[in-house]
Amino acid sequence: MPSFERVASAAEAREASPQVVSVGGRTLGLFHHEGEFYAVDNRCPHMGFPLTDGSVDDGILTCPWHHARFELSGGDTFDPFADDVRTFPVEVRDGDVYVDPDPERETAPEEHWRERLEHGLQESLRLVIDKAIIGLDDAGVEPTVPLTTGATFGTQYRRMGWGSGLTTMSAMANLLPDLRPADRRRALAVGLGAVADDCAGEPPFFVQDPLSTDRVAADRLIEWFRDTIEVRDADGAERVLRAAIEASQTPREAGEDADLDEAALVRMFVAAATDHRYLDTGHRLDFVNKAVELLDRIGWDHADTVLPSLVPALADADRAEERSSWRQPIDVAALVEEASDDLPTHAGAEATWTEPDDFVDRLLDDDPHAIMDALTDAIEAGATGAQLAGAVADAAARRIAQFGTANEFRDWNTVHHTYTYANAVCGLAKRTDAPEIYRAVFDGAVSVYLDRFLNTPPIPLPDPDGDRDPDTVLDDLLETFEVEADETVGAAGRHTAEYLASGGDPARLKRALGEVLLREDAGFHPRQNVEAAFSRYDAADEEERGRLHLVATARYLAAHTPTRREGEQTFRIAERLNRGEAIHEA
């Protein structure tokens, strides 16, 4: 039952309207307007300014700080950037004003914050998104909930489908286990904010119906998909894909082969994305990998929402064999085609090949023929796609770790694209043993070769003594991210290597790098780079190989920091509001 408490005499409240009253542990604004009394939470839901400092006219309460407007009787806002203000029942009894400080909420906190998250995405409002992520986390909601919301929104409201926003969100989700608990919701906010930015002002994605075929074999659907992508028929490819997804989710009778499963869907994309070379500087295959990683988190029952969003850009992709760098002075595209003609049926179910000690060095050779020979010899000896993808990723990390700062700054993107592509091939190679994985490996190796001029001369890899205090080294490393200078890039790599060689905890190092990444306006590429490096470090079977990836990403991060940290400021405002702090009081 409502529990009303006296807050003021009616006469005083009429004369001194508005006024601040405290009741039931709450601070409310009490207003008398047009003969009625109204009580509202005195903190403006936008940024916490006292609403009693505002004005009321024609039943509308206006906050004076950012001019958010609220319907006084019900609290509904007129402005998308502000949440509704909470109102409280008021009664007048025997000349006194009573307020119920604890009325029943119309919506549970989880439902409220989910609605606010959707609203923040629709309007691309970072503060609203940040507050919603914090609210959901405080309500004990698992990360899969906002991730699913982001996936649904991001695939529905961007005509060209999956882009950098959803890739960022998936990467941030992958980082969660490596972050400080306090940074995990910040990572989700970064990811959801990137989705909102990517969709802002974009036309929606219109869904095609699946083909109504019944139980078509997986190989036939894969061929249809490849054929439609080949001729850039995005609508036809989407219909084929949706038919495959529908078939993969259809229950089968006992004893019937499940030839259409998650692995077949992955193969469908890998095959189409490797029929031509290194699509869109590697982004297409990287986006495929991030999409399937996101499905691992939110559930493959969302495949019909997520996977079709990959089709438009895949059909429209730039093909590397059409660029002169892949044709002259050496036709490296032709080398890949020749090597692809003789591939085994499967990319090695079980490894029968042991990687030679100098194999990564051979992948960094100046002769592309020697590189392709090394790969094809390894395949003949039984190397799996996953083994070779890992070696190419190590070679790509070397390009970043030895990148010379005398190059143009934008050339960081060149070595970065190769690296994230190679990491994507590693991820996809764990999901399918289709021979097309080898073609992706070849493309990655060629891109590593084409990046060789960015290691001219190569910066020496750090060779630390390992006799310093790890805490001191970590402090030195963190200082490199506070200064914008070429020399800090090399210092970041040396400090990272020294920290690990001195017995520093790799998990602590990753938490520190994650904290740096999330506080900066890092942008798409650094977020990709750090996530890929953590993934490759975890996959490394030798400490030295794993260290290379952390050294490389520390250098890359140092080259892109510090920034203005606008996103950090917005998130801190959201955190302070959540704690009830008075933002306007500095």
Side-chain angles (χ1 to χ4, degrees):
M1 296 294 293
S3 178
F4 285 87
E5 298 183 25
R6 181 188 181 279
V7 295
S9 73
E12 291 175 353
R14 290 189 188 95
E15 289 293 324
S17 177
Q19 63 175 277
V20 179
V21 298
S22 296
V23 56
R26 302 183 187 278
T27 301
L28 308 183
L30 183 63
F31 294 83
H32 182 261
H33 179 63
E34 296 179 342
E36 299 288 339
F37 289 101
Y38 304 92
V40 304
D41 188 331
N42 199 40
R43 285 170 55 82
C44 177
H46 175 222
M47 290 184 67
F49 199 78
L51 289 174
T52 48
D53 288 355
S55 59
V56 179
D57 188 37
D58 294 332
I60 298 175
L61 169 61
T62 302
C63 176
W65 198 8
H66 297 97
H67 306 289
R69 298 163 298 159
F70 308 94
E71 194 277 307
L72 187 58
S73 65
D76 291 347
T77 184
F78 290 80
D79 300 292
F81 61 82
D83 199 351
D84 297 337
V85 68
R86 192 176 183 191
T87 60
F88 298 82
V90 180
E91 291 184 1
V92 178
R93 304 175 184 172
D94 301 325
D96 289 324
V97 180
Y98 288 77
V99 175
D100 178 6
D102 195 26
E104 184 176 348
R105 287 184 176 269
E106 294 184 4
T107 58
E110 176 180 346
E111 182 181 352
H112 170 77
W113 289 118
R114 288 181 68 173
E115 291 175 354
R116 290 303 291 164
L117 177 57
E118 291 176 0
H119 185 76
L121 290 168
Q122 292 166 6
E123 300 290 338
S124 194
L125 296 168
R126 284 299 184 97
L127 182 59
V128 174
I129 292 170
D130 290 357
K131 289 194 290 187
I133 293 296
I134 292 170
L136 287 169
D137 189 50
D138 284 350
V141 176
E142 290 296 318
T144 51
V145 171
L147 290 172
T148 303
T149 299
T152 302
F153 180 85
T155 54
Q156 183 177 357
Y157 291 105
R158 190 172 187 272
R159 182 177 61 83
M160 283 304 294
W162 188 286
S164 61
L166 286 167
T167 301
T168 299
M169 188 182 76
S170 183
M172 293 301 99
N174 291 344
L175 284 179
L176 294 179
D178 292 316
L179 300 175
R180 301 181 310 158
D183 286 331
R184 289 170 188 162
R185 55 190 185 183
R186 188 178 320 206
L188 289 173
V190 165
L192 272 294
V195 171
D197 289 345
D198 211 21
C199 295
E202 291 289 319
F205 181 89
F206 293 103
V207 173
Q208 298 289 331
D209 293 328
L211 297 175
S212 57
T213 53
D214 184 26
R215 302 291 177 95
V216 176
D219 286 345
R220 174 64 58 84
L221 286 173
I222 291 172
E223 285 306 310
W224 286 352
F225 187 71
R226 292 172 68 176
D227 289 345
T228 50
I229 292 296
E230 174 67 30
V231 297
R232 302 189 185 277
D233 175 14
D235 290 343
E238 183 184 343
R239 297 198 70 188
V240 173
L241 174 61
R242 289 190 183 277
I245 294 170
E246 192 173 272
S248 73
Q249 296 175 341
T250 301
R252 293 174 174 79
E253 297 183 13
E256 189 174 358
D257 291 337
D259 62 340
L260 271 164
D261 53 14
E262 294 170 13
L265 294 175
V266 171
R267 183 190 176 188
M268 181 175 286
F269 279 99
V270 172
T274 57
D275 280 334
H276 292 277
R277 311 279 59 81
Y278 197 54
L279 301 183
D280 284 344
T281 61
H283 281 116
R284 292 308 124 221
L285 206 65
D286 180 44
F287 287 8
V288 169
N289 184 52
K290 282 293 170 284
V292 296
E293 287 176 347
L294 181 61
L295 286 174
D296 287 342
R297 295 188 177 277
I298 67 175
W300 277 79
D301 53 319
H302 294 284
D304 59 340
T305 297
V306 171
L307 294 182
S309 70
L310 295 163
V311 171
L314 184 60
D316 193 50
D318 177 48
R319 298 165 177 178
E321 67 267 26
E322 298 171 352
R323 297 205 301 266
S324 62
S325 59
W326 280 67
R327 293 296 188 182
Q328 297 175 347
I330 299 175
D331 192 344
V332 291
L335 289 180
V336 173
E337 296 297 335
E338 291 170 10
S340 300
D341 288 342
D342 237 356
L343 290 174
T345 305
H346 297 286
E350 295 182 2
T352 57
W353 173 78
T354 300
E355 181 180 327
D357 291 339
D358 66 342
F359 191 70
V360 173
D361 290 328
R362 294 174 66 187
L363 297 180
L364 293 166
D365 199 286
D366 287 339
D367 180 2
H369 297 86
I371 294 170
M372 298 307 295
D373 287 345
L375 290 171
T376 53
D377 289 348
I379 293 171
E380 290 177 2
T384 66
Q387 286 177 309
L388 296 182
V392 171
D394 289 347
R398 284 268 290 274
R399 292 294 191 216
I400 300 176
Q402 298 189 281
F403 181 90
T405 55
N407 292 296
E408 287 187 272
F409 185 78
R410 64 181 180 177
D411 281 329
W412 279 107
N413 293 338
T414 303
V415 291
H416 163 78
H417 288 146
T418 305
Y419 183 55
T420 52
Y421 178 86
N423 177 61
V425 179
C426 290
L428 295 169
K430 294 186 298 184
R431 300 172 183 276
T432 177
D433 63 355
E436 290 84 3
I437 281 291
Y438 288 129
R439 300 196 303 191
V441 169
F442 295 156
D443 284 354
V446 166
S447 190
V448 169
Y449 161 74
L450 292 174
D451 293 347
R452 68 195 183 284
F453 69 96
L454 298 172
N455 290 158
T456 305
I459 303 301
L461 292 173
D463 185 19
D465 295 330
D467 56 1
R468 294 184 62 199
D469 173 50
D471 291 343
T472 302
V473 179
L474 186 60
D475 289 341
D476 291 343
L477 171 62
L478 295 179
E479 287 181 10
T480 65
F481 303 118
E482 299 285 356
V483 180
E484 184 178 352
D486 285 347
E487 54 266 26
T488 62
V489 173
R494 292 192 300 273
H495 293 323
T496 299
E498 184 70 43
Y499 175 82
L500 293 171
S502 299
D505 180 9
R508 186 182 177 196
L509 174 61
K510 289 197 286 185
R511 286 194 297 271
L513 292 174
E515 183 181 359
V516 170
L517 176 72
L518 293 171
R519 79 183 179 204
E520 302 289 346
D521 302 324
F524 180 45
H525 289 156
R527 291 164 182 163
Q528 279 185 299
N529 196 279
V530 171
E531 185 270 334
F534 286 9
S535 175
R536 300 319 315 143
Y537 177 85
D538 293 341
D541 54 4
E542 298 176 6
E543 177 59 33
E544 185 175 352
R545 295 185 77 156
R547 183 173 70 189
L548 170 68
H549 293 274
L550 296 183
V551 167
T553 201
R555 296 185 82 241
Y556 192 89
L557 193 56
H560 292 79
T561 55
T563 64
R564 292 183 63 86
R565 303 178 186 173
E566 295 177 13
E568 168 75 354
Q569 182 195 25
T570 300
F571 190 82
R572 287 197 178 278
I573 288 173
E575 285 187 314
R576 292 180 63 191
L577 289 169
N578 186 60
R579 293 194 293 264
E581 296 181 18
I583 305 297
H584 58 283
E585 294 180 355

